[in-house]
Amino acid sequence: MRLNASFAIFVSCLLLLGAFSIPSAAVAQQQEKRIALVIGNGAYTKVPLATAANDGGLIAQTLQAAGFDVTGARDLDGDTLRGAFRDFMKKAETSGPDTVAVVYLAGYGLQFSGENYFIPVDSTIAHDTDIPTEGLRIGDYMRQLTALPLKLSVVMLDIAREQPFIEDGSIASGLALVEPNPRMLIAFNAAPGTVAPEEPGPYGAYAQAVAEMIRTGGLPLPELFNRVRLRVNENTKGAQVPWDTQKVDDAQFMFFDRAPDAPAVASSDQAAAVRDKPIRDLGASDAYLAALDRDTLQGYEDFIAAYPQDPMAKRVRAIIAARREAITWRRSYRADTPDAYWSYLRRYPRGPHAADARRRLSILSAALEPPQTFTMLDYDVPPPPSDEIVYVDRPVLMFSDPDFDFAPPPPPPVFFLPPPPPDFVVLEPPPPPIGLFYLPSPLFVPIPAYVSAPAYVRPPPNNIIFTNIHNTTVINNVINRPPPAANPAAPLVNPAGPGARIGPGRTPAARDQVSQPAVHPGPALPAAVMRKATLIQEGKAPVPPSASINPATKAGSFRRSTDRPPGPRRALPAAGGTQAQPAAPQPATAHQAPASNGHPPATAAQPGEPAPGRDSIPDSTGRQFPKTNALPVPGIRGTPPAPGAATPRPGPKFGPGATVPETGPASGVRGSPVTGPGGRASGPAAPQPDAARLRPRGPQAEPQVRRSTPPSRMAPTAVAPLSRAAPRSASPRPHAPPPRVASPPRPAPHVAPPMRRMAAPPRPAPPRSAPHAAPPPRMAPPPRAAPPPRAVAPQRAPPAAHSAPPPRGGRGAKKCPPHVDKC
């Protein structure tokens, strides 16, 4: 009996320990913490992106619903962006080993020497060597995440776009192929070496597909991103093919669980059969979708082998070309030896990474071109066939390039990819952001009741979306309630309301009142961004220029790759990018003379002018200006006047203080070149020699030279005649030659010899203009073309402008202005 009693006690203890062990395991499983960093950079100074900030807001909202503690921001400069990443890394370091970290970046991305960079909105990149200093090297932070004891890391880069910074072919397009670290998944919005097409908005195809698949529930990470690729390929008609790679086979992670009684998503058995069956055993349509689903070089090659004449074969060959070249470059860059780079150049002498290879060879002090004999690197892929070179030699590889004339891909079957939810097909644009740096908060679409976050997820703090993903009342009355009118360009610190940051003066009770109208359901700002906003709000830091840019209205101004001449990269100029083609003559407008005036858009540099594209920039009319100067500003020498602006004219010619509209014929626009910096004509209108254009002296050329005079010289000249030549105000246009004495305000550099050349008869051509009907009175001054009057430098000063010039002999010394004792 005692033995049996002891045995019973022992068994009871085991059962008791087991009972306690089960809850402890459940408690341990509930400790999965989810954190995320979301950045949407769209307000770039050069070429804004219409969807980047909205895409960031959509992904942040979706991650919040899945139980992530999200910090996010938009339109960050370089310093603030790096500070936001440092804050997130510290947060991940203190989160513990059961943490899942997600990073989503939207904006411009560049690749340089095998690394990918995320570009801040204030970037001033002009050369390839600026990328490492201006951009944020993503690989550094990926390595930091891998070094932390995290359960899983997911990095989504929605940044493979056609960049507007460097157009000389010195960098490859798109993103560079990377290899994932353990416990990490990396996803691109476009395959390595390719770019996504421009999207007008309100959301990008990639961000919307990611949000849709996350909300579906029950999808492991590999299958989720496979469906993202199929959905984006379907919605963009094959123009965009996302890519991902991962090493998370041991982590069965799901953003959302799907209840057992949920409707069947698709016939998993039929889809599995298609995935497992060889490509050659499938029909052409299913074979293409199966190859796209597998997204491997071997799968695409199997499709070409089975269906070489299928309409999809050309598209698949382009995909293979980009993937083969990316793998070849990645292998060469990892070896980092002269033989490796010579091996790449032997396969791709004009390939996307040819400039990178020669740059590395220069650093390694090796010959830039492959020698006759060297040890060829053993690649994992065979050399490219000749029909692939046409794709990788393009300046930018985009599957929507009209020169390719690809047939649209077939729609995926329902068993392979079910249609999107009806309420998630067309999403409304989000309301304006509540303040500077805050991501837009899209209208939240309720998640089906059979989809919910896993029970073991730790609820994030102050997350009203996570606790109300099925509550349509709160969603409609609180989360989707329009925010109060605010200035999205003004800094906003600690917006009041539960589910966000509670500002000063808010009581804890107010935190639980979800009906407060000041709720901000969006993600919190990173600490570094909050500090920057606080400094701006206190007036201790300037408002960034990005605050005045509205990407939705300014996007699309970039001349895309389809506007460039097709062909290999060697067709691009060595510097300065490809210039736009000359525009056809346009009808005259209030601020632009017709082409018949001799001012067609400049396509080639005239003698003495900057060369287009290399050392000059065109203005809106096509005229070239040196890059060293600022953009043309009305009223500054060498820049066209603003439409409708009036420029003061010296009194002796047009009357005291008289003004002549620049748009009128009297201003000398018709038939006269618009002078550029230094008095050089910026258009090919004048047929005279260069020296003659620089130093006009004829009676018809007088208005042109005066227009080129800087305001600092013109203003005093326009005022002086008011007091010294007042009696002449009765005649707005004097008929006597003496008034031409006012010409001295011109720049001093003019010398006598050019004066005689400018007095040549060819200049009278401008009398086509009506206002020049009074030239006869001014034709007498040509005798003044003699050198003596030109040599008077002191007359540049305003007071001396109307004083008599020193006696030089000739008729110039006999004619003096009224009320002047001596000439």
Side-chain angles (χ1 to χ4, degrees):
M1 288 293 296
R2 291 182 179 179
L3 183 59
N4 292 338
S6 301
F7 179 76
I9 294 173
F10 176 75
V11 172
S12 300
C13 292
L14 290 178
L15 294 175
L16 185 61
L17 290 175
F20 280 107
S21 64
I22 295 175
S24 63
V27 171
Q29 192 180 20
Q30 291 177 359
Q31 295 306 308
E32 178 178 289
K33 188 175 182 180
R34 298 181 169 186
I35 60 175
L37 174 66
V38 177
I39 304 295
N41 278 356
Y44 290 90
T45 303
K46 193 164 188 180
V47 179
L49 293 173
T51 67
N54 294 350
D55 292 343
L58 179 63
I59 296 298
Q61 183 185 80
T62 305
L63 294 177
Q64 283 182 289
F68 282 82
D69 181 11
V70 184
T71 54
R74 64 179 173 93
D75 303 332
L76 299 184
D77 56 44
D79 293 339
T80 312
L81 180 62
R82 290 177 176 86
F85 264 88
R86 286 193 297 268
D87 294 337
F88 182 73
M89 292 303 165
K90 293 178 181 178
K91 185 176 183 179
E93 185 177 359
T94 59
S95 294
D98 294 325
T99 299
V100 176
V102 172
V103 176
Y104 173 85
L105 305 178
Y108 281 119
L110 299 177
Q111 61 166 304
F112 179 77
S113 293
E115 296 285 347
N116 295 317
Y117 294 84
F118 183 47
I119 308 304
V121 294
D122 67 335
S123 175
T124 57
I125 293 175
H127 305 284
D128 50 14
T129 52
D130 298 334
I131 298 176
T133 56
E134 295 281 341
L136 185 89
R137 189 159 61 180
I138 301 172
D140 294 343
Y141 298 97
M142 291 169 53
R143 286 185 285 270
Q144 292 184 35
L145 286 175
T146 304
L148 298 177
L150 301 177
K151 180 179 180 181
L152 174 67
S153 299
V154 179
V155 180
M156 292 180 281
L157 303 180
D158 194 356
I159 60 177
R161 310 174 192 274
E162 186 177 0
Q163 51 85 20
F165 307 101
I166 302 171
E167 298 186 60
D168 59 3
S170 60
I171 62 172
S173 63
L175 299 178
L177 182 72
V178 297
E179 296 180 3
N181 299 319
R183 307 184 311 279
M184 177 176 287
L185 181 143
I186 304 171
F188 295 172
N189 67 314
T194 69
V195 298
E198 182 182 9
E199 298 174 300
Y203 301 99
Y206 182 75
Q208 186 164 344
V210 170
E212 175 196 339
M213 299 309 164
I214 290 177
R215 294 162 53 93
T216 299
L219 298 178
L221 279 178
E223 184 177 354
L224 185 148
F225 282 97
N226 287 345
R227 294 195 180 194
V228 168
R229 182 165 51 256
L230 294 175
R231 179 69 76 210
V232 172
N233 184 73
E234 175 191 17
N235 292 341
T236 63
K237 302 297 187 293
Q240 187 175 348
V241 180
W243 174 86
D244 66 274
T245 180
Q246 48 85 22
K247 289 184 180 178
V248 294
D249 296 335
D250 57 342
Q252 294 298 321
F253 172 83
M254 294 184 185
F255 287 97
F256 282 105
D257 280 339
R258 197 174 179 89
D261 58 346
V265 175
S267 176
S268 58
D269 296 339
Q270 192 173 2
V274 171
R275 291 190 177 96
D276 297 338
K277 189 177 294 187
I279 296 289
R280 62 178 180 272
D281 296 338
L282 300 172
S285 178
D286 289 347
Y288 169 77
L289 295 172
L292 196 66
D293 179 75
R294 300 173 190 183
D295 196 38
T296 62
L297 185 61
Q298 185 62 49
Y300 293 125
E301 290 179 338
D302 291 345
F303 176 85
I304 294 296
Y307 301 99
Q309 304 302 324
D310 188 79
M312 292 296 102
K314 288 178 58 178
R315 180 182 296 277
V316 173
R317 286 191 180 95
I319 297 175
I320 293 175
R323 188 66 51 84
R324 190 195 308 274
E325 192 277 337
I327 294 174
T328 303
W329 169 247
R330 179 66 181 176
R331 179 76 173 84
S332 302
Y333 179 71
R334 291 190 62 186
D336 197 32
T337 62
D339 288 345
Y341 296 122
W342 288 330
S343 300
Y344 175 86
L345 292 175
R346 182 62 58 85
R347 287 192 173 189
Y348 299 99
R350 298 186 304 271
H353 295 92
D356 284 321
R358 294 187 176 96
R359 188 184 301 111
R360 291 299 303 166
L361 287 170
S362 178
I363 294 174
L364 297 174
S365 301
L368 299 184
E369 298 301 328
Q372 293 296 330
T373 59
F374 64 92
T375 304
M376 190 74 178
L377 190 65
D378 184 16
Y379 291 106
D380 299 333
V381 295
S386 58
D387 58 355
E388 288 185 10
I389 300 299
V390 65
Y391 300 113
V392 295
D393 273 4
R394 302 283 293 184
V396 177
L397 180 53
M398 183 184 299
F399 296 130
S400 60
D401 195 323
D403 291 331
F404 295 157
D405 193 24
F406 290 151
V414 176
F415 69 84
F416 221 59
L417 182 68
D423 55 358
F424 213 77
V425 175
V426 178
L427 300 180
E428 295 294 331
I434 62 173
L436 188 65
F437 302 130
Y438 282 96
L439 287 169
S441 295
L443 299 179
F444 183 67
V445 178
I447 294 179
Y450 49 79
V451 175
S452 60
Y456 51 80
V457 174
R458 181 188 302 176
N462 297 328
N463 190 332
I464 189 175
I465 294 180
F466 175 73
T467 56
N468 294 278
I469 60 175
H470 305 134
N471 191 334
T472 56
T473 300
V474 174
I475 291 173
N476 294 331
N477 297 332
V478 181
I479 297 176
N480 289 344
R481 186 169 183 175
N487 181 8
L492 178 65
V493 180
N494 293 329
R501 280 66 58 207
I502 306 301
R506 298 284 292 177
T507 62
R511 300 170 184 263
D512 301 328
Q513 297 177 5
V514 296
S515 61
Q516 290 294 328
V519 169
H520 171 54
L525 290 179
V529 183
M530 182 71 73
R531 290 191 294 269
K532 180 70 174 289
T534 303
L535 292 176
I536 296 175
Q537 194 175 50
E538 295 175 351
K540 299 179 181 179
V543 177
S546 60
S548 61
I549 298 176
N550 184 359
T553 59
K554 293 191 176 183
S557 59
F558 180 40
R559 179 171 44 81
R560 298 290 162 181
S561 63
T562 54
D563 300 325
R564 302 174 184 169
R569 295 170 181 272
R570 59 194 174 117
L572 293 176
T578 305
Q579 293 299 314
Q581 296 298 322
Q586 299 295 329
T589 61
H591 60 280
Q592 180 181 3
S596 60
N597 290 351
H599 297 291
T603 58
Q606 298 295 323
E609 294 183 24
R614 289 187 295 274
D615 53 359
S616 65
I617 54 177
D619 67 352
S620 59
T621 63
R623 294 179 297 228
Q624 300 291 331
F625 295 88
K627 287 185 178 179
T628 54
N629 294 349
L631 291 177
V633 179
I636 302 301
R637 180 178 184 176
T639 61
T647 303
R649 299 296 182 188
K653 182 169 184 178
F654 297 100
T659 61
V660 178
E662 289 291 337
T663 55
S667 64
V669 174
R670 297 180 61 87
S672 64
V674 179
T675 55
R680 293 176 295 185
S682 60
Q688 288 79 5
D690 184 51
R693 291 190 296 110
L694 292 175
R695 304 172 181 85
R697 284 293 295 173
Q700 303 302 328
E702 185 68 13
Q704 303 149 12
V705 177
R706 297 196 177 201
R707 290 181 59 221
S708 66
T709 305
S712 59
R713 299 177 183 176
M714 291 176 61
T717 306
V719 175
L722 294 177
S723 58
R724 300 200 177 206
R728 304 184 58 183
S729 61
S731 176
R733 298 196 57 167
H735 299 282
R740 295 199 39 96
V741 177
S743 60
R746 290 187 198 135
H750 301 315
V751 293
M755 297 189 315
R756 295 192 181 106
R757 288 186 295 178
M758 278 308 292
R763 288 302 273 181
R768 294 180 298 180
S769 310
H772 291 290
R778 297 187 298 169
M779 290 302 293
R784 292 184 67 251
R790 288 295 295 254
V792 184
Q795 295 182 354
R796 291 175 55 197
H802 298 280
S803 62
R808 302 181 188 175
R811 285 174 293 179
K814 297 180 180 180
K815 299 181 180 181
C816 301
H819 304 285
V820 178
D821 298 329
K822 297 181 180 180
C823 296

